Amino acid sequence: ESYYREILQGAEDSQLTARVNKEIQEGCAYSTYLQWRFGKQKEERKAQQIWQEYLSEYEEEGKLLPWSNVDESQKAKPEKCSRILTTSLQKKLQRFSNEKQFTMSLLFETIWGLILQFENNISDVVFGKTVSGREAKIPGIENTVGMMINTIPVRVKVSENMTLIDLLEQQRKNDIVEV
């Protein structure tokens, strides 16, 4: 049962505190996670090599709003832009992902990369992806309270005559959840 429901049902502070304390006890100490994380010195050096290779030859500077060389009078005023993913379109995307064996996450990351490429008129773009950081093989990690997120780079590089399927396969091959 969620905390929200308990609050809506009028749970006492003491009841909520007891529940949180119980969940904390069932988790591991955050310090255990930090010891695990920072105890991976050899792996960190290997990870650095992997990231350097992954980002080698990246020379573009992509911006969400490429206004650096535009006269003030020519700049468009920021507007709210929203799109609703209809149930119908969601089902089509899910069906496509399932048929081609791509995750929805990979599909949307690739689409976001294509949008950034289009907006910046470039064919190679890198953006940050936040991952959970809870991959540690520590008992109780899923119940641990604490910031364990990490942001990793996602590179979307399109070459001439590449199809969307080719690009998605390339992204899947290069998908690094966390090193």
Side-chain angles (χ1 to χ4, degrees):
E1 199 171 356
S2 74
Y3 290 109
Y4 300 111
R5 177 170 286 173
E6 290 183 35
I7 291 168
L8 289 173
Q9 292 174 347
E12 301 277 331
D13 286 347
S14 60
Q15 291 172 308
L16 293 172
T17 302
R19 182 168 170 204
V20 168
N21 286 337
K22 180 179 181 248
E23 288 184 12
I24 289 172
Q25 289 173 355
E26 290 173 359
C28 71
Y30 188 62
S31 59
T32 304
Y33 168 76
L34 292 177
Q35 287 171 353
W36 171 84
R37 185 81 194 130
F38 295 115
K40 298 173 61 171
Q41 294 294 327
K42 282 186 194 174
E43 292 179 40
E44 295 294 329
R45 278 185 287 238
K46 182 181 176 188
Q48 187 174 13
Q49 289 175 326
I50 291 170
W51 289 126
Q52 285 175 338
E53 183 180 314
Y54 182 69
L55 297 172
S56 68
E57 300 177 15
Y58 181 75
E59 298 175 9
E60 304 290 350
E61 182 180 346
K63 297 178 183 171
L64 191 53
L65 300 173
W67 287 354
S68 57
N69 298 327
V70 177
D71 184 300
E72 275 302 313
S73 64
Q74 295 177 338
K75 288 183 180 178
K77 301 291 182 220
E79 295 179 28
K80 180 178 180 180
C81 178
S82 64
R83 298 290 180 261
I84 296 174
L85 181 61
T86 63
T87 304
S88 171
L89 180 55
Q90 180 186 0
K91 287 179 181 177
K92 288 177 184 175
L93 290 171
Q94 187 67 59
R95 191 169 36 255
F96 172 80
S97 292
N98 291 342
E99 287 172 6
K100 304 298 181 185
Q101 298 181 339
F102 299 119
T103 65
M104 288 289 280
S105 177
L106 184 75
L107 180 62
F108 279 101
E109 287 169 18
T110 305
I111 291 169
W112 180 243
L114 292 170
I115 290 169
L116 292 174
Q117 288 176 358
F118 176 80
E119 289 295 321
N120 289 279
N121 197 27
I122 57 178
S123 62
D124 189 9
V125 70
V126 174
F127 59 90
K129 168 185 172 179
T130 303
V131 294
S132 79
R134 292 183 185 260
E135 80 287 355
K137 303 288 187 256
I138 300 172
I141 189 90
E142 64 279 352
N143 294 323
T144 303
V145 176
M147 271 304 244
M148 297 178 199
I149 62 173
N150 194 7
T151 303
I152 60 173
V154 174
R155 186 173 186 179
V156 179
K157 186 175 183 178
V158 177
S159 43
E160 208 171 309
N161 299 323
M162 183 177 259
T163 67
L164 178 61
I165 299 297
D166 294 339
L167 179 59
L168 286 164
E169 286 174 355
Q170 172 185 287
Q171 292 307 111
R172 179 174 42 204
K173 185 183 96 184
N174 292 334
D175 191 26
I176 302 172
V177 175
E178 185 161 6
V179 178

